[in-house]
Amino acid sequence: MAQIGAHEGPLDPALARSHAVDVVRTLQKAGHRALLAGGCVRDELLGLHPTDYDVATDAKPEQIGELFRSTAHVGAHFGVVIVRTGKGEGVEVATFRRDGDYSDNRRPDSVEFASEEEDAQRRDFTINALFLDPLAAEDAPAIHGHVVDYVGGLADLSARIIRAVGHAEDRLREDHLRALRAVRFAARLGYEIEHDTARAIREHAGQLRGVSVERIGHELRRMLSHPNRARAAQLIVELGMEAPIFGEHIEHALVRLSRLKPESPFEWALAAWILDRQGAGAKIAPYRRALCLSNDESAAIASIIEIVGIMSGAWEALGVAGQKRLASREGFEGALAVFDAEDSSSAMMVRGRVAELADTPGGLAPEPLIGGDELIEMGFQPGPFFASVLRDVYDAQLDGRISDLEGAKSLAQKLLGSGNSGRPGASHS
Ligand code: ATP
Ligand code: MG
């Protein structure tokens, strides 16, 4: 699994780590307990690049503020301080705490500072609840020796298990997003979700409806960007989360999603999954709402779905101009990747055809021989019909029926001057 997750890493993981270790050192020198905590410890133990480094300490936010030149207190009541060390991203430093009640099932109402052990117990999964003293580890080869494990996280890492910390039912009831986090970690790492944890996820799956679409969208984006995306989708379906997320359960096989190339971006993956669920007739609007997609994301996904539909249908009938136009569209590359996952031999034919077309004079998307300015120069009054004439002229250019300015002008003249479509003819010059 060495490479899994590597693409999620920050630009310079070594720098991020050294900043976090500097923070730990400063806190320890001032007499505090300070440790790397959570996801970064898990990832380091697995030989993966952490996306970020978090520090946990017994120092209170005010004390942290006094030790560092530049700090920002993010929601002082959550007890988290961002410490900036020189340039680069800040390191999140959180005072050991237990979470208060979860009356809205999302965020604890309050935090109370607490012991190191209680801080481990408030975390979601055992593999996410480990601490590591990076300074103790500096001159010792056995990194495991300096891991502080209150919840059996090391054993679960070895056994490749996602297990809720404490009573699974309670932990899933407190925060329904944990269900999706469990799936994301299980898929990313190739782990099994432990039996009681899986049962609790199933039990509370319906309540995902109450989680904000931003948070759900964020998790889905991360899962679908990862090479193990099909496993994540399969778990979502198996654990009963498909309807709460997308509005309904639809019987489907993950054909395209599972065959997509590992490095495919989120938009391709979601388009593939939507096509697996609903075929080419799928509407993007419900997904847009459910996952809080941006305008760009939904446009890209809608375009892929539409183009895949054309590739598996009208492609042959498009003719040279139509095929060239389609091949130059923004979503074409993604569509071809998804179509490849659907029907690789047909996709290979499309790819071959596009290579052929790219080889023609001017290629797939040559500069138009004429535009509105030339039509005006020719003496025509601008009007809404300009667009359709220019489109016809450009089609002729793409088809190879015309290849120079003269040809373009004379075709435009013919189209505009025919006078049989209610279009104004040439004015006198
Ligand atoms: P990654 O950064 O790769 O998503 P992570 O485990 O670091 O994984 P973060 O969201 O960065 O996840 O959270 C950092 C740590 O905070 C987690 O490892 C976990 O200990 C704790 N945590 C995060 N979200 C929750 C939650 N919803 N419930 C309980 N603990 C959580
Ligand atoms: Mg993290």
Side-chain angles (χ1 to χ4, degrees):
M1 83 185 72
Q3 294 307 312
I4 294 174
H7 67 289
E8 286 186 337
L11 282 181
D12 187 348
L15 194 67
R17 182 180 209 276
S18 85
H19 283 156
V21 174
D22 286 346
V23 171
V24 167
R25 188 178 291 114
T26 303
L27 286 161
Q28 288 192 4
K29 273 194 181 144
H32 294 292
R33 178 87 168 143
L35 302 153
L36 298 181
C40 63
V41 178
R42 172 200 69 219
D43 288 347
E44 285 211 341
L45 292 172
L46 293 172
L48 305 173
H49 292 308
T51 49
D52 41 36
Y53 283 86
D54 298 323
V55 171
T57 179
D58 63 0
K60 300 290 186 299
E62 321 72 83
Q63 296 174 305
I64 301 168
E66 282 161 17
L67 282 169
F68 299 94
R69 224 173 294 144
S70 172
T71 56
H73 295 246
V74 285
H77 53 293
F78 291 122
V80 178
V81 178
I82 311 261
V83 174
R84 294 190 197 290
T85 54
K87 46 188 184 314
E89 307 246 315
V91 177
E92 273 195 23
V93 184
T95 309
F96 295 136
R97 60 209 152 120
R98 73 176 78 89
D99 287 331
D101 289 338
Y102 278 82
S103 57
D104 67 352
N105 309 108
R106 265 178 253 167
R107 279 182 199 291
D109 299 336
S110 59
V111 295
E112 295 162 48
F113 298 132
S115 68
E116 186 175 317
E117 181 167 358
E118 286 169 298
D119 190 77
Q121 279 153 356
R122 73 170 173 91
R123 294 172 186 270
D124 50 4
F125 305 108
T126 59
I127 63 166
N128 290 350
L130 297 167
F131 297 116
L132 173 75
D133 185 340
L135 299 176
E138 248 173 13
D139 40 42
I143 197 172
H144 280 68
H146 306 286
V147 171
V148 184
D149 180 7
Y150 294 103
V151 296
L154 282 174
D156 286 339
L157 264 187
S158 304
R160 305 167 59 84
I161 288 172
I162 305 295
R163 183 198 309 270
V165 173
H167 191 263
E169 223 279 317
D170 291 346
R171 304 312 308 286
L172 268 297
R173 183 165 10 84
E174 278 168 11
D175 178 359
H176 303 134
L177 189 75
R178 288 177 185 152
L180 274 182
R181 284 175 56 86
V183 167
R184 173 156 64 83
F185 294 123
R188 175 184 173 216
L189 302 171
Y191 284 17
E192 293 300 321
I193 300 177
E194 175 273 330
H195 178 265
D196 286 347
T197 304
R199 195 175 54 190
I201 290 172
R202 250 190 220 101
E203 223 150 89
H204 291 281
Q207 284 140 348
L208 261 181
R209 286 200 175 85
V211 176
S212 79
V213 290
E214 287 84 357
R215 294 180 88 202
I216 292 180
H218 177 74
E219 288 296 325
L220 263 284
R221 233 173 236 99
R222 296 192 62 182
M223 287 179 210
L224 292 178
S225 304
H226 193 274
N228 294 353
R229 53 181 71 91
R231 167 88 174 130
Q234 185 199 341
L235 283 170
I236 283 177
V237 173
E238 276 175 19
L239 293 169
M241 286 186 266
E242 185 197 2
I245 294 173
F246 295 128
E248 58 180 327
H249 168 69
I250 298 174
E251 244 358 270
H252 66 285
L254 297 166
V255 177
R256 299 168 190 79
L257 193 67
S258 59
R259 293 198 198 134
L260 212 55
K261 299 259 182 322
E263 65 284 0
S264 304
F266 164 67
E267 290 85 350
W268 301 10
L270 183 54
W273 196 5
I274 293 174
L275 283 163
D276 281 342
R277 290 185 84 229
Q278 296 183 289
K283 297 270 175 288
I284 184 79
Y287 294 93
R288 181 184 188 134
R289 277 192 298 275
L291 304 183
C292 198
L293 301 176
S294 71
N295 290 345
D296 285 354
E297 286 170 337
S298 32
I301 293 162
S303 164
I304 290 175
I305 292 171
E306 185 201 337
I307 296 174
V308 169
I310 297 171
M311 285 174 177
S312 57
W315 170 256
E316 293 292 342
L318 282 184
V320 172
Q323 290 177 340
K324 283 184 172 179
R325 277 183 189 278
L326 195 72
S328 341
R329 273 178 58 177
E330 191 98 58
F332 190 81
E333 193 198 348
L336 195 49
V338 175
F339 189 49
D340 193 31
E342 171 181 312
D343 177 351
S344 66
S345 62
S346 299
M348 194 146 65
M349 274 169 16
V350 171
R351 194 172 282 118
R353 176 73 177 140
V354 171
E356 230 172 75
L357 295 171
D359 237 19
T360 57
L364 295 176
E367 272 301 304
L369 291 165
I370 57 169
D373 289 347
E374 282 80 5
L375 297 186
I376 292 167
E377 259 170 43
M378 288 163 68
F380 294 102
Q381 298 293 331
F385 49 89
F386 265 32
S388 78
V389 167
L390 289 172
R391 194 189 151 88
D392 287 351
V393 174
Y394 191 57
D395 274 350
Q397 180 185 347
L398 292 175
D399 277 339
R401 284 182 276 126
I402 55 170
S403 55
D404 56 18
L405 187 61
E406 283 319 300
K409 280 185 170 171
S410 84
L411 177 57
Q413 184 79 49
K414 209 162 90 203
L415 292 167
L416 280 163
S418 56
N420 58 4
S421 56
R423 289 167 181 160
S427 60
H428 291 290
S429 48

